[in-house]
Amino acid sequence: MAVNHLTALSEGVSHCGPQNMTLSSSDQKLLLTWEDEPSCSALKDAVVYELLVLIADKQEHHDNVVVTHDQTGSTHSWNWTSYLPLECATHSVWLRSRYNNQTSPWVKEKALPENQRSKRFEVYPRDGAFEAGSTATFCCILPAGERFHKMYLSGYNGVNMRSTRISNQTYALTLNLNEASNVCIDVKCKTNRTTYGACAFVGYPPGDKDLQCETQDLKSVECRWTVGRNTQFWSRTKYQLQGSPCPDGSKGRCSLKMLVKAGETNWTLTASNRLGTVELHDRADLTKRVRMFAPEEVTASTINSRNVSLKWRWTVDEYEHLNLTCEVQGVHGETSSTSKTSGVGLNAAVLTDLMPNWTYEVTVRCRTETWRWGNWSRGLDFHTKGDVPDALDVWMQMKENQVVVVWKMPLTNQSHGEITDYEVTWANTTTRVPPSEHSLTLRLDTSEEHNITVTAWNINGSSSPSTVTTPNISPDGTRVNSSWITGSNGSFMLSWPVSPASSCGYIIDWCPTLDCQTVDWIKVPANSTNVTIFSKSFRDGLRYSLSIYACTEGAPVLLERREGYVREIRIEEKLFKSLEVKQQEMDAEVSWEKIPVRQQPAFIRGFTLYYWNKDNTVFNVSTDDPEATSLTARNLEITSYTFMVAARTALGECGNSSIIVTLNSLTDDLFKSIFIALGLVLGLLTLTTVLCYRNWACIKYKVYPPIPKPVLMDNWLTSAVHLDLRREADVSVIPELHPKPGVSGNDYVSEAGMPFSFIQTPKGYYNKPLKKNTPPLLILPYTDVPSPSGPPSSPFRGVFPNPSYDPIPGDHWFRPELLEGTPAIQTSDGYHPQNQAETLIPTVDVPHGPDSPMSCESAYILLPQLPST
């Protein structure tokens, strides 16, 4: 607003107005102070002071200040920061009062009057400080005769930069300082003749917070706080505690020597730089904020197996009057035991719950009430006394008619001394087991329950007894089905439903499925039905059997069985060692041997059969049965096929094995069957032909086997023929043959008129003994052959056949010519039959049938020729 306009507004007269106005400036900040006229004290309501700020005679800012009735008569102040440095243009402040629609005249004050402004032509502000993220304005004052070209920042990328003209020789650059810089930024103003410049700093005001003060010796105060972000100023932030400088303030701590008294005190920290000042406050009674020094000379006065008594000394006498809480900690490796004790001036404590026969390092620290802990003391080493071992963790393993009792080897923190031996008791038997062994095999009746107790011994005595009860195993007992389980991260995660049979928790044991020599186990409390099992002995690709038992007061109850791998691995190629293909018409059945578990590093969840021919078109058939041993490819063609079998696992298909087979047509199979049948028939016909031909040749060429040599008795034609036959121990008499008078030499009949007469004995028919030096006659078995050529009235109905020589049927006469090379018949009286004569012994008709008085077969006797002399 122009000055003439303000004068026009102030023509009225007010009863209350400002007086004794003073305008001061610092950098770009204006500070205006004034007082009320004496007449203002009579007013009952508030007075409003109206302010106007003009830059280069242009209104830039308007503001109101309300003065209440109780503030009337005092000094009032108002401040405002200009966007433009005061050196760049004239800044003036106009002030008047307003009360009940009445206003006082405007009163004007100027900052940096014309005669106090710099006559130099340059850039302002010089060495200015700006907060990162703020908007800044720089101005350039040019001498007469120079023309403005541009303003810019060297080495800094500001945003939203714009240049404006304030007067004929004054220009301004406004921009956003978006980031801090730890170096000076050059602001340049270029004219047609030269370049002017100034330096500017961009950073942050102090950001420190969280002041806390405490004492250690009650003779000094130490305060700590959180230091804010880097202000990026080349000059450090200045810190003061209770008005005293802090040399180490940039590190967030400051100390002050003073005697600490009981009662709350206000503690003030000031942090300041060119962009601002931060004040931090803390109110506390420092006698309750004692961060104590570490105890000195810590010693163990009494050492037992499970506790130790400690003492120490304080270096500050005032600690003896403080209410202290001390913490004593005993550490050994990953094991620790802590004890807390409270008291006034505490300097002793007892550390309990220690492990016998154990080495500890003990440290102590203390504090006052709820304040932070003091420093730890130096460590004290000591060794506790020994004690009896802890109770053993006992389990059992059933093996047919044996029970294997197993227990875990006590750890060092459980044995409390060197184990000398173990004692196992069952029924009325007790045995000792050396410390190197942790199992005992017992031959017990597994159809009954047995209580087995195991204790451990060391030089201090025996542990509490641990008892396990073996379950009875009956042949017809119920079996628990086994299910599959998949491991994760080298472990098994098991869960199971709550069992009403459980009274003391659960037991889970495990061992390799195929080689369960040593069993391992873990016990789970009753309120838990899940567990994660880790073991250093677990191996990838090895199947494990896991059993879940309910713990009872008696024998454990088997609930579930699981089988699984901690991590399955791929099965190697060529798993199927003996692939066979059997063609069934136009189908092909591919079979293999059952895959043993030892060759399964992963669960086999089924099989897939792939097959393809020369066209490389792949077909497949699969099964989800892991016990399958065959798959059938159907509707194949008569060609060569490649069959490949793969096992399906959680890792994909693996264990591939292949075989190539050429399929035969059904006609080929028929021809094969026909040829085989024809070959068999031809072979049978050939054999029959050979046999028939041999028989025919024997008949045609009269080739017969050799005939035995019969020997006749002396006077065989006139006396009885004695035949010698040895059969077992009995001898039968052969009937005597006598020539009948009047009968031709070719006909012979018996004395009774029968063809022959035989003497019967109870056990058969025997010839009488031959005379000395008389060769015996040979009687040959008889075969009844009809005589088609003989007369019907002939009494001779049979011949005596030779078993190795069967004459032609119907030929009942002796044929000497068939006996070539045989010796002639010898007689005792020198009778020599003619060489070519036919010697006839008529056949004998012997009664046959079961009713006959004697049973014998007719036979013929072939008489050999006598050797010629």
PDB file of all heavy atoms in Angstrom, residues 29 43 73 87 104 178 200 213 239 281 304 423 441 479 484 576 587 594 666 701 703 714 716 725 773 803 830 861:
ATOM      1  N   LYS A  29      15.451 -11.039   9.502  1.00  0.00           N
ATOM      2  CA  LYS A  29      14.373 -11.026  10.484  1.00  0.00           C
ATOM      3  C   LYS A  29      14.154  -9.597  10.989  1.00  0.00           C
ATOM      4  O   LYS A  29      15.108  -8.892  11.322  1.00  0.00           O
ATOM      5  CB  LYS A  29      14.709 -11.934  11.645  1.00  0.00           C
ATOM      6  CG  LYS A  29      13.603 -12.032  12.670  1.00  0.00           C
ATOM      7  CD  LYS A  29      13.987 -12.984  13.791  1.00  0.00           C
ATOM      8  CE  LYS A  29      14.049 -14.416  13.278  1.00  0.00           C
ATOM      9  NZ  LYS A  29      14.296 -15.370  14.390  1.00  0.00           N
ATOM     10  N   LEU A  43      -9.477   1.557  28.607  1.00  0.00           N
ATOM     11  CA  LEU A  43     -10.345   0.721  27.766  1.00  0.00           C
ATOM     12  C   LEU A  43     -10.662  -0.589  28.476  1.00  0.00           C
ATOM     13  O   LEU A  43      -9.825  -1.144  29.190  1.00  0.00           O
ATOM     14  CB  LEU A  43      -9.667   0.443  26.428  1.00  0.00           C
ATOM     15  CG  LEU A  43      -9.315   1.693  25.595  1.00  0.00           C
ATOM     16  CD1 LEU A  43      -8.625   1.279  24.323  1.00  0.00           C
ATOM     17  CD2 LEU A  43     -10.574   2.498  25.283  1.00  0.00           C
ATOM     18  N   GLY A  73      -0.837  -1.538  28.778  1.00  0.00           N
ATOM     19  CA  GLY A  73       0.166  -0.819  29.545  1.00  0.00           C
ATOM     20  C   GLY A  73       1.524  -1.479  29.530  1.00  0.00           C
ATOM     21  O   GLY A  73       2.511  -0.892  29.986  1.00  0.00           O
ATOM     22  N   GLU A  87      19.407  -6.006   2.709  1.00  0.00           N
ATOM     23  CA  GLU A  87      20.284  -5.160   1.906  1.00  0.00           C
ATOM     24  C   GLU A  87      19.751  -4.950   0.495  1.00  0.00           C
ATOM     25  O   GLU A  87      20.203  -4.045  -0.217  1.00  0.00           O
ATOM     26  CB  GLU A  87      21.690  -5.764   1.819  1.00  0.00           C
ATOM     27  CG  GLU A  87      22.417  -5.839   3.136  1.00  0.00           C
ATOM     28  CD  GLU A  87      22.097  -7.112   3.899  1.00  0.00           C
ATOM     29  OE1 GLU A  87      21.188  -7.880   3.453  1.00  0.00           O
ATOM     30  OE2 GLU A  87      22.733  -7.378   4.932  1.00  0.00           O
ATOM     31  N   SER A 104      -6.319   4.421  14.995  1.00  0.00           N
ATOM     32  CA  SER A 104      -5.329   5.469  15.245  1.00  0.00           C
ATOM     33  C   SER A 104      -4.569   5.751  13.960  1.00  0.00           C
ATOM     34  O   SER A 104      -4.633   4.959  13.000  1.00  0.00           O
ATOM     35  CB  SER A 104      -4.365   5.020  16.341  1.00  0.00           C
ATOM     36  OG  SER A 104      -3.586   3.928  15.878  1.00  0.00           O
ATOM     37  N   ASN A 178      16.890 -28.163  -2.200  1.00  0.00           N
ATOM     38  CA  ASN A 178      16.317 -29.487  -1.916  1.00  0.00           C
ATOM     39  C   ASN A 178      17.241 -30.428  -1.162  1.00  0.00           C
ATOM     40  O   ASN A 178      16.806 -31.445  -0.641  1.00  0.00           O
ATOM     41  CB  ASN A 178      15.872 -30.160  -3.226  1.00  0.00           C
ATOM     42  CG  ASN A 178      17.029 -30.333  -4.201  1.00  0.00           C
ATOM     43  OD1 ASN A 178      17.957 -29.510  -4.202  1.00  0.00           O
ATOM     44  ND2 ASN A 178      16.979 -31.363  -5.023  1.00  0.00           N
ATOM     45  N   ALA A 200      26.812 -19.479   0.071  1.00  0.00           N
ATOM     46  CA  ALA A 200      25.645 -19.886   0.875  1.00  0.00           C
ATOM     47  C   ALA A 200      25.871 -21.295   1.418  1.00  0.00           C
ATOM     48  O   ALA A 200      26.481 -22.147   0.764  1.00  0.00           O
ATOM     49  CB  ALA A 200      24.380 -19.831   0.035  1.00  0.00           C
ATOM     50  N   CYS A 213      20.257 -38.277  32.624  1.00  0.00           N
ATOM     51  CA  CYS A 213      21.403 -37.992  33.479  1.00  0.00           C
ATOM     52  C   CYS A 213      21.477 -39.014  34.607  1.00  0.00           C
ATOM     53  O   CYS A 213      20.445 -39.510  35.078  1.00  0.00           O
ATOM     54  CB  CYS A 213      21.300 -36.571  34.055  1.00  0.00           C
ATOM     55  SG  CYS A 213      21.333 -35.282  32.791  1.00  0.00           S
ATOM     56  N   TYR A 239      27.215 -27.270  22.429  1.00  0.00           N
ATOM     57  CA  TYR A 239      26.437 -27.909  23.485  1.00  0.00           C
ATOM     58  C   TYR A 239      26.788 -27.272  24.824  1.00  0.00           C
ATOM     59  O   TYR A 239      27.963 -26.941  25.104  1.00  0.00           O
ATOM     60  CB  TYR A 239      26.721 -29.411  23.549  1.00  0.00           C
ATOM     61  CG  TYR A 239      26.241 -30.186  22.321  1.00  0.00           C
ATOM     62  CD1 TYR A 239      27.113 -30.420  21.261  1.00  0.00           C
ATOM     63  CD2 TYR A 239      24.940 -30.664  22.256  1.00  0.00           C
ATOM     64  CE1 TYR A 239      26.687 -31.126  20.147  1.00  0.00           C
ATOM     65  CE2 TYR A 239      24.507 -31.377  21.144  1.00  0.00           C
ATOM     66  CZ  TYR A 239      25.386 -31.603  20.105  1.00  0.00           C
ATOM     67  OH  TYR A 239      24.967 -32.294  19.001  1.00  0.00           O
ATOM     68  N   HIS A 281      15.536 -31.525  28.259  1.00  0.00           N
ATOM     69  CA  HIS A 281      15.347 -31.448  29.694  1.00  0.00           C
ATOM     70  C   HIS A 281      15.184 -32.845  30.279  1.00  0.00           C
ATOM     71  O   HIS A 281      14.627 -33.747  29.652  1.00  0.00           O
ATOM     72  CB  HIS A 281      14.116 -30.594  30.028  1.00  0.00           C
ATOM     73  CG  HIS A 281      14.176 -29.199  29.489  1.00  0.00           C
ATOM     74  ND1 HIS A 281      14.861 -28.175  30.124  1.00  0.00           N
ATOM     75  CD2 HIS A 281      13.644 -28.644  28.350  1.00  0.00           C
ATOM     76  CE1 HIS A 281      14.747 -27.062  29.418  1.00  0.00           C
ATOM     77  NE2 HIS A 281      14.006 -27.326  28.341  1.00  0.00           N
ATOM     78  N   ASN A 304      29.969 -76.052  47.279  1.00  0.00           N
ATOM     79  CA  ASN A 304      29.308 -77.344  47.425  1.00  0.00           C
ATOM     80  C   ASN A 304      29.061 -77.937  46.039  1.00  0.00           C
ATOM     81  O   ASN A 304      29.523 -77.407  45.021  1.00  0.00           O
ATOM     82  CB  ASN A 304      28.005 -77.197  48.199  1.00  0.00           C
ATOM     83  CG  ASN A 304      28.240 -76.705  49.613  1.00  0.00           C
ATOM     84  OD1 ASN A 304      29.141 -77.192  50.295  1.00  0.00           O
ATOM     85  ND2 ASN A 304      27.445 -75.732  50.048  1.00  0.00           N
ATOM     86  N   GLU A 423      23.951-101.048  36.505  1.00  0.00           N
ATOM     87  CA  GLU A 423      23.329-102.203  37.145  1.00  0.00           C
ATOM     88  C   GLU A 423      21.950-102.414  36.537  1.00  0.00           C
ATOM     89  O   GLU A 423      21.114-101.505  36.559  1.00  0.00           O
ATOM     90  CB  GLU A 423      23.208-101.975  38.656  1.00  0.00           C
ATOM     91  CG  GLU A 423      22.661-103.175  39.418  1.00  0.00           C
ATOM     92  CD  GLU A 423      22.596-102.898  40.912  1.00  0.00           C
ATOM     93  OE1 GLU A 423      23.594-103.139  41.600  1.00  0.00           O
ATOM     94  OE2 GLU A 423      21.538-102.409  41.358  1.00  0.00           O
ATOM     95  N   THR A 441      21.161-107.378  26.120  1.00  0.00           N
ATOM     96  CA  THR A 441      20.183-108.248  25.467  1.00  0.00           C
ATOM     97  C   THR A 441      19.778-109.351  26.430  1.00  0.00           C
ATOM     98  O   THR A 441      20.626-110.075  26.962  1.00  0.00           O
ATOM     99  CB  THR A 441      20.774-108.859  24.178  1.00  0.00           C
ATOM    100  OG1 THR A 441      21.162-107.795  23.306  1.00  0.00           O
ATOM    101  CG2 THR A 441      19.742-109.727  23.487  1.00  0.00           C
ATOM    102  N   ARG A 479      -1.751-105.515  14.856  1.00  0.00           N
ATOM    103  CA  ARG A 479      -0.603-104.847  14.261  1.00  0.00           C
ATOM    104  C   ARG A 479      -1.016-103.441  13.849  1.00  0.00           C
ATOM    105  O   ARG A 479      -2.136-103.207  13.440  1.00  0.00           O
ATOM    106  CB  ARG A 479      -0.080-105.628  13.059  1.00  0.00           C
ATOM    107  CG  ARG A 479       0.334-107.049  13.391  1.00  0.00           C
ATOM    108  CD  ARG A 479       0.926-107.731  12.177  1.00  0.00           C
ATOM    109  NE  ARG A 479       2.178-107.124  11.762  1.00  0.00           N
ATOM    110  CZ  ARG A 479       3.355-107.457  12.262  1.00  0.00           C
ATOM    111  NH1 ARG A 479       3.458-108.356  13.200  1.00  0.00           N
ATOM    112  NH2 ARG A 479       4.452-106.868  11.819  1.00  0.00           N
ATOM    113  N   TRP A 484       3.510 -93.297   5.376  1.00  0.00           N
ATOM    114  CA  TRP A 484       4.697 -92.595   4.888  1.00  0.00           C
ATOM    115  C   TRP A 484       4.782 -91.218   5.505  1.00  0.00           C
ATOM    116  O   TRP A 484       3.771 -90.582   5.805  1.00  0.00           O
ATOM    117  CB  TRP A 484       4.659 -92.468   3.366  1.00  0.00           C
ATOM    118  CG  TRP A 484       4.940 -93.745   2.658  1.00  0.00           C
ATOM    119  CD1 TRP A 484       5.246 -94.938   3.227  1.00  0.00           C
ATOM    120  CD2 TRP A 484       4.929 -93.965   1.245  1.00  0.00           C
ATOM    121  NE1 TRP A 484       5.441 -95.883   2.263  1.00  0.00           N
ATOM    122  CE2 TRP A 484       5.255 -95.316   1.027  1.00  0.00           C
ATOM    123  CE3 TRP A 484       4.695 -93.157   0.153  1.00  0.00           C
ATOM    124  CZ2 TRP A 484       5.337 -95.874  -0.232  1.00  0.00           C
ATOM    125  CZ3 TRP A 484       4.767 -93.703  -1.111  1.00  0.00           C
ATOM    126  CH2 TRP A 484       5.083 -95.053  -1.305  1.00  0.00           C
ATOM    127  N   PHE A 576      15.681-101.137 -13.093  1.00  0.00           N
ATOM    128  CA  PHE A 576      15.012-102.401 -13.385  1.00  0.00           C
ATOM    129  C   PHE A 576      16.012-103.329 -14.065  1.00  0.00           C
ATOM    130  O   PHE A 576      16.355-103.157 -15.237  1.00  0.00           O
ATOM    131  CB  PHE A 576      13.798-102.158 -14.288  1.00  0.00           C
ATOM    132  CG  PHE A 576      12.847-101.129 -13.727  1.00  0.00           C
ATOM    133  CD1 PHE A 576      13.015 -99.783 -14.032  1.00  0.00           C
ATOM    134  CD2 PHE A 576      11.804-101.492 -12.894  1.00  0.00           C
ATOM    135  CE1 PHE A 576      12.157 -98.839 -13.529  1.00  0.00           C
ATOM    136  CE2 PHE A 576      10.948-100.550 -12.378  1.00  0.00           C
ATOM    137  CZ  PHE A 576      11.127 -99.213 -12.689  1.00  0.00           C
ATOM    138  N   ASP A 587      -0.890-107.118 -27.808  1.00  0.00           N
ATOM    139  CA  ASP A 587      -0.476-106.423 -26.591  1.00  0.00           C
ATOM    140  C   ASP A 587       0.885-106.944 -26.169  1.00  0.00           C
ATOM    141  O   ASP A 587       1.289-108.052 -26.550  1.00  0.00           O
ATOM    142  CB  ASP A 587      -1.479-106.643 -25.450  1.00  0.00           C
ATOM    143  CG  ASP A 587      -2.870-106.154 -25.835  1.00  0.00           C
ATOM    144  OD1 ASP A 587      -2.966-105.298 -26.733  1.00  0.00           O
ATOM    145  OD2 ASP A 587      -3.850-106.636 -25.228  1.00  0.00           O
ATOM    146  N   LYS A 594      10.426-107.239  -8.446  1.00  0.00           N
ATOM    147  CA  LYS A 594      10.032-106.275  -7.426  1.00  0.00           C
ATOM    148  C   LYS A 594      11.267-105.523  -6.921  1.00  0.00           C
ATOM    149  O   LYS A 594      12.299-106.129  -6.659  1.00  0.00           O
ATOM    150  CB  LYS A 594       9.345-106.981  -6.263  1.00  0.00           C
ATOM    151  CG  LYS A 594       8.792-106.035  -5.222  1.00  0.00           C
ATOM    152  CD  LYS A 594       8.042-106.779  -4.131  1.00  0.00           C
ATOM    153  CE  LYS A 594       7.503-105.823  -3.083  1.00  0.00           C
ATOM    154  NZ  LYS A 594       6.760-106.535  -2.003  1.00  0.00           N
ATOM    155  N   LEU A 666       0.400-112.699 -35.803  1.00  0.00           N
ATOM    156  CA  LEU A 666      -0.327-113.890 -35.370  1.00  0.00           C
ATOM    157  C   LEU A 666      -0.134-115.034 -36.364  1.00  0.00           C
ATOM    158  O   LEU A 666      -0.124-116.208 -35.986  1.00  0.00           O
ATOM    159  CB  LEU A 666      -1.816-113.554 -35.214  1.00  0.00           C
ATOM    160  CG  LEU A 666      -2.127-112.480 -34.161  1.00  0.00           C
ATOM    161  CD1 LEU A 666      -3.622-112.218 -34.115  1.00  0.00           C
ATOM    162  CD2 LEU A 666      -1.613-112.888 -32.807  1.00  0.00           C
ATOM    163  N   TYR A 701      14.882-162.309 -43.671  1.00  0.00           N
ATOM    164  CA  TYR A 701      16.213-162.872 -43.741  1.00  0.00           C
ATOM    165  C   TYR A 701      16.486-163.868 -42.619  1.00  0.00           C
ATOM    166  O   TYR A 701      17.600-164.326 -42.454  1.00  0.00           O
ATOM    167  CB  TYR A 701      17.272-161.774 -43.725  1.00  0.00           C
ATOM    168  CG  TYR A 701      17.167-160.854 -44.923  1.00  0.00           C
ATOM    169  CD1 TYR A 701      16.591-159.605 -44.802  1.00  0.00           C
ATOM    170  CD2 TYR A 701      17.630-161.274 -46.188  1.00  0.00           C
ATOM    171  CE1 TYR A 701      16.479-158.762 -45.876  1.00  0.00           C
ATOM    172  CE2 TYR A 701      17.517-160.446 -47.278  1.00  0.00           C
ATOM    173  CZ  TYR A 701      16.952-159.183 -47.138  1.00  0.00           C
ATOM    174  OH  TYR A 701      16.842-158.360 -48.204  1.00  0.00           O
ATOM    175  N   VAL A 703      16.775-163.798 -39.452  1.00  0.00           N
ATOM    176  CA  VAL A 703      17.808-163.403 -38.493  1.00  0.00           C
ATOM    177  C   VAL A 703      17.183-163.374 -37.119  1.00  0.00           C
ATOM    178  O   VAL A 703      16.267-162.595 -36.867  1.00  0.00           O
ATOM    179  CB  VAL A 703      18.405-162.037 -38.852  1.00  0.00           C
ATOM    180  CG1 VAL A 703      19.434-161.633 -37.817  1.00  0.00           C
ATOM    181  CG2 VAL A 703      19.032-162.088 -40.233  1.00  0.00           C
ATOM    182  N   ASP A 714      21.426-189.405 -21.469  1.00  0.00           N
ATOM    183  CA  ASP A 714      21.717-190.672 -22.152  1.00  0.00           C
ATOM    184  C   ASP A 714      20.412-191.435 -22.384  1.00  0.00           C
ATOM    185  O   ASP A 714      19.526-191.485 -21.521  1.00  0.00           O
ATOM    186  CB  ASP A 714      22.665-191.541 -21.305  1.00  0.00           C
ATOM    187  CG  ASP A 714      24.011-190.839 -21.162  1.00  0.00           C
ATOM    188  OD1 ASP A 714      24.327-189.958 -22.012  1.00  0.00           O
ATOM    189  OD2 ASP A 714      24.734-191.186 -20.213  1.00  0.00           O
ATOM    190  N   TRP A 716      17.988-190.917 -24.330  1.00  0.00           N
ATOM    191  CA  TRP A 716      16.850-189.994 -24.137  1.00  0.00           C
ATOM    192  C   TRP A 716      15.640-190.460 -24.908  1.00  0.00           C
ATOM    193  O   TRP A 716      14.511-190.110 -24.564  1.00  0.00           O
ATOM    194  CB  TRP A 716      17.263-188.579 -24.572  1.00  0.00           C
ATOM    195  CG  TRP A 716      17.502-188.435 -26.075  1.00  0.00           C
ATOM    196  CD1 TRP A 716      18.625-188.803 -26.752  1.00  0.00           C
ATOM    197  CD2 TRP A 716      16.578-187.961 -27.017  1.00  0.00           C
ATOM    198  NE1 TRP A 716      18.492-188.574 -28.080  1.00  0.00           N
ATOM    199  CE2 TRP A 716      17.216-188.029 -28.270  1.00  0.00           C
ATOM    200  CE3 TRP A 716      15.235-187.488 -26.948  1.00  0.00           C
ATOM    201  CZ2 TRP A 716      16.570-187.618 -29.441  1.00  0.00           C
ATOM    202  CZ3 TRP A 716      14.631-187.073 -28.123  1.00  0.00           C
ATOM    203  CH2 TRP A 716      15.299-187.128 -29.360  1.00  0.00           C
ATOM    204  N   LEU A 725      16.365-178.134 -13.220  1.00  0.00           N
ATOM    205  CA  LEU A 725      15.999-176.699 -13.108  1.00  0.00           C
ATOM    206  C   LEU A 725      16.137-176.284 -11.668  1.00  0.00           C
ATOM    207  O   LEU A 725      15.531-176.897 -10.780  1.00  0.00           O
ATOM    208  CB  LEU A 725      14.550-176.495 -13.581  1.00  0.00           C
ATOM    209  CG  LEU A 725      14.039-175.054 -13.457  1.00  0.00           C
ATOM    210  CD1 LEU A 725      14.895-174.144 -14.321  1.00  0.00           C
ATOM    211  CD2 LEU A 725      12.574-174.993 -13.836  1.00  0.00           C
ATOM    212  N   ASN A 773      28.051-185.686 -14.872  1.00  0.00           N
ATOM    213  CA  ASN A 773      28.664-185.347 -16.159  1.00  0.00           C
ATOM    214  C   ASN A 773      27.666-185.295 -17.287  1.00  0.00           C
ATOM    215  O   ASN A 773      28.040-185.399 -18.436  1.00  0.00           O
ATOM    216  CB  ASN A 773      29.799-186.328 -16.509  1.00  0.00           C
ATOM    217  CG  ASN A 773      30.902-186.264 -15.470  1.00  0.00           C
ATOM    218  OD1 ASN A 773      31.157-185.213 -14.890  1.00  0.00           O
ATOM    219  ND2 ASN A 773      31.553-187.398 -15.257  1.00  0.00           N
ATOM    220  N   PRO A 803      12.449-167.271 -25.277  1.00  0.00           N
ATOM    221  CA  PRO A 803      12.098-165.849 -25.048  1.00  0.00           C
ATOM    222  C   PRO A 803      12.784-164.919 -26.006  1.00  0.00           C
ATOM    223  O   PRO A 803      12.259-163.883 -26.339  1.00  0.00           O
ATOM    224  CB  PRO A 803      12.567-165.585 -23.621  1.00  0.00           C
ATOM    225  CG  PRO A 803      12.938-166.867 -23.020  1.00  0.00           C
ATOM    226  CD  PRO A 803      13.070-167.856 -24.116  1.00  0.00           C
ATOM    227  N   GLY A 830      26.529-192.851 -27.812  1.00  0.00           N
ATOM    228  CA  GLY A 830      27.220-192.619 -29.065  1.00  0.00           C
ATOM    229  C   GLY A 830      26.317-192.395 -30.229  1.00  0.00           C
ATOM    230  O   GLY A 830      26.757-192.380 -31.350  1.00  0.00           O
ATOM    231  N   ILE A 861      11.037-177.562 -27.072  1.00  0.00           N
ATOM    232  CA  ILE A 861      12.470-177.675 -26.804  1.00  0.00           C
ATOM    233  C   ILE A 861      13.157-177.831 -28.143  1.00  0.00           C
ATOM    234  O   ILE A 861      12.830-178.715 -28.934  1.00  0.00           O
ATOM    235  CB  ILE A 861      12.793-178.901 -25.931  1.00  0.00           C
ATOM    236  CG1 ILE A 861      12.102-178.750 -24.575  1.00  0.00           C
ATOM    237  CG2 ILE A 861      14.309-179.027 -25.743  1.00  0.00           C
ATOM    238  CD1 ILE A 861      12.297-179.956 -23.679  1.00  0.00           C
TER     239      ILE A 861
END
